[in-house]
Amino acid sequence: MHRQTTQSDNASFAGLADVQQELLESGDLLLEFTIGATGAGVIIVPPEGQEAEIIKLMVDESDAQALGIEAGGLTGPLLSEILAGNDGGLLADLRDPDAALAAEAKLAALFNVLFPGEIRKRITDGSLDRLFLIPDGVIGLVPFEALVGERTADPTYLLDAGPPIVYAPSATLLLNLSQVDDAPASDRKPVLTAGDPAYSDATADDELASASSRYGLRGGTFGRLPYSGLESQWVAEVFNKEGLEVGELTRDDANDDRVRFNLS
């Protein structure tokens, strides 16, 4: 909430009162995370008329055992170890179909750590219409929708049990966007979905290599994401049933230029 805007020559910040009065509606909740080398916390911002609070993020013994770290306060280095440690971490497990199921305990523990106390209940009890998440640092790598809210034979994921999630780098940006007149061009659809992109095969000889090819030159590879194309189709079907037109970008059309064009 304390980031600069670019709306005018005079730098300004979105204060707590601004966010509660002008951005959040009844049924909304905003969580702004902070994380550093020595600790982490979450700022809980409800709509106007309710008090905001700050909670330090802690890891208890049970969750620490599941995450493979020591109990105590969460820090940036600890979360980095959880997500992408020497063995690849949680993110590597989620990319491997054989290891993904075994990652359930870590996903549940991480849910407990990032959503402490009453927040967990409120997020999954159906009382929220929207959840605004503002990650900080390495928290931006957390696969929030894949977090497990309840471990059972058929685990409950945040994607299924939680409200729609709105991500942003700052509350100030969210507030600025909420104040922009919604006047899309007539040739653009009101809903845009993208999936299963076709990554570039550019080589080291290409001085203007794309981000994906530069990543490849460093030894990494971008594998195809075919199921993201299927998910994109599902999203389109849901909105089409509600009478909304959907712009679908897949394979060669799912690129930065086309996305920017459709969002401008």
Side-chain angles (χ1 to χ4, degrees), residues 117-137:
E118 287 297 313
I119 302 179
R120 288 197 294 274
K121 178 181 178 183
R122 189 171 181 188
I123 287 176
T124 58
D125 66 4
S127 63
L128 292 180
D129 296 323
R130 290 186 300 179
L131 175 63
F132 293 91
L133 295 182
I134 302 177
D136 177 44

Side-chain angles (χ1 to χ4, degrees), residues 182-222:
D182 186 13
S186 59
D187 60 340
R188 295 182 178 89
K189 306 294 191 298
V191 178
L192 176 68
T193 179
D196 193 13
Y199 292 116
S200 170
D201 291 328
T203 67
D205 295 332
D206 184 357
E207 294 182 357
L208 300 178
S210 67
S212 61
S213 61
R214 288 198 300 271
Y215 176 73
L217 295 179
R218 293 185 176 92
T221 58
F222 283 106

Side-chain angles (χ1 to χ4, degrees), residues 49-128:
Q50 304 175 51
E51 290 190 5
E53 61 178 316
I54 302 176
I55 296 179
K56 184 176 182 179
L57 298 180
M58 304 294 296
V59 185
D60 65 22
E61 292 289 349
S62 176
D63 291 330
Q65 184 176 2
L67 294 169
I69 61 173
E70 293 185 4
L74 182 68
T75 66
L78 281 177
L79 186 56
S80 294
E81 181 181 340
I82 293 168
L83 295 175
N86 293 332
D87 61 349
L90 179 60
L91 297 181
D93 290 343
L94 293 178
R95 291 193 296 267
D96 183 349
D98 294 328
L101 291 178
E104 182 183 316
K106 290 183 179 180
L107 293 169
L110 201 52
F111 181 83
N112 292 338
V113 173
L114 296 176
F115 300 110
E118 287 297 313
I119 302 179
R120 288 197 294 274
K121 178 181 178 183
R122 189 171 181 188
I123 287 176
T124 58
D125 66 4
S127 63
L128 292 180

Side-chain angles (χ1 to χ4, degrees), residues 98-182:
D98 294 328
L101 291 178
E104 182 183 316
K106 290 183 179 180
L107 293 169
L110 201 52
F111 181 83
N112 292 338
V113 173
L114 296 176
F115 300 110
E118 287 297 313
I119 302 179
R120 288 197 294 274
K121 178 181 178 183
R122 189 171 181 188
I123 287 176
T124 58
D125 66 4
S127 63
L128 292 180
D129 296 323
R130 290 186 300 179
L131 175 63
F132 293 91
L133 295 182
I134 302 177
D136 177 44
V138 70
I139 292 181
L141 298 177
V142 173
F144 281 98
E145 284 92 345
L147 297 182
V148 175
E150 184 177 358
R151 293 190 67 193
T152 60
D154 186 16
T156 301
Y157 295 93
L158 183 58
L159 176 65
D160 302 313
I165 297 177
V166 179
Y167 295 95
S170 74
T172 293
L173 178 60
L174 277 173
L175 186 59
N176 289 343
L177 291 175
S178 72
Q179 297 171 340
V180 174
D181 292 334
D182 186 13

